Amino acid sequence: METSRAQWFNQSWLYLKRILIVNATFLVVGFFWRLAFLLYYGKSAELSPLKGDVLHAFVLGTRFDSTVLFYVNAIPLLLLLFVSLFAFRGGPQFILDKIFKHFARFLVPYYTLMLFIVNYISAVDFGYYSFYQDRINVLIFGFFTDDTIALIKTIWRNYPMMWIS
């Protein structure tokens, strides 16, 4: 029984390290989106005396990205916690093996989907900023109350989303 717990611990540590690597990837992607905003919309003459403030903005953006990561990681880490409780209570090894097999199949599509959603929202925010000169806010919900068809035609003409996606 002690061997199975050690195997489970090694396997769960491996998954935790993989999740941490994915989290670092999320933070790097968020950094590049922020950098794209700065390079595309920022004016270097105005920003050059504000280097400390720009650095502070990047740190604050990383903090916001980590908040999103807490929500993204909630499901996998809670599953890992429940499995660990099951393992330490002496659960049968064949059930633990089955759980880890399904957990491994779940992680890749889940984090791929989450990375796609975060990137898609960031791309929409980038385009939204180019049109409204503001980040996504409550005005985006006017999309459903205004002439939605006309808005979709305008968006399609200015930003062909199928090709961008």
Side-chain angles (χ1 to χ4, degrees), residues 30-45:
F31 169 79
F32 281 120
W33 273 111
R34 218 162 269 102
L35 186 64
F37 262 94
L38 178 71
L39 295 175
Y40 192 78
Y41 297 114
K43 296 177 178 85
S44 59

Side-chain angles (χ1 to χ4, degrees), residues 41-105:
Y41 297 114
K43 296 177 178 85
S44 59
E46 294 175 3
L47 293 174
S48 60
L50 304 172
K51 289 181 181 151
D53 291 335
V54 171
L55 179 65
H56 179 70
F58 272 86
V59 170
L60 187 62
T62 303
R63 288 175 55 195
F64 287 139
D65 291 344
S66 64
T67 303
V68 172
L69 280 175
F70 286 124
Y71 290 112
V72 168
N73 286 322
I75 293 172
L77 292 180
L78 283 173
L79 287 173
L80 206 55
L81 175 70
F82 289 136
V83 172
S84 68
L85 293 174
F86 182 72
F88 285 118
R89 294 193 125 252
Q93 183 63 34
F94 72 94
I95 293 177
L96 287 172
D97 291 340
K98 222 177 210 189
I99 290 172
F100 271 114
K101 185 178 178 183
H102 291 297
F103 187 69
R105 287 185 189 157

Side-chain angles (χ1 to χ4, degrees), residues 75-144:
I75 293 172
L77 292 180
L78 283 173
L79 287 173
L80 206 55
L81 175 70
F82 289 136
V83 172
S84 68
L85 293 174
F86 182 72
F88 285 118
R89 294 193 125 252
Q93 183 63 34
F94 72 94
I95 293 177
L96 287 172
D97 291 340
K98 222 177 210 189
I99 290 172
F100 271 114
K101 185 178 178 183
H102 291 297
F103 187 69
R105 287 185 189 157
F106 164 76
L107 280 181
V108 172
Y110 175 76
Y111 278 109
T112 302
L113 177 67
M114 291 299 120
L115 188 59
F116 175 78
I117 289 171
V118 167
N119 275 319
Y120 191 76
I121 291 172
S122 296
V124 167
D125 190 30
F126 196 84
Y128 187 87
Y129 190 87
S130 74
F131 192 75
Y132 291 105
Q133 297 301 303
D134 195 8
R135 304 297 298 262
I136 290 179
N137 55 27
V138 74
L139 288 176
I140 200 166
F141 295 108
F143 177 80
F144 298 108

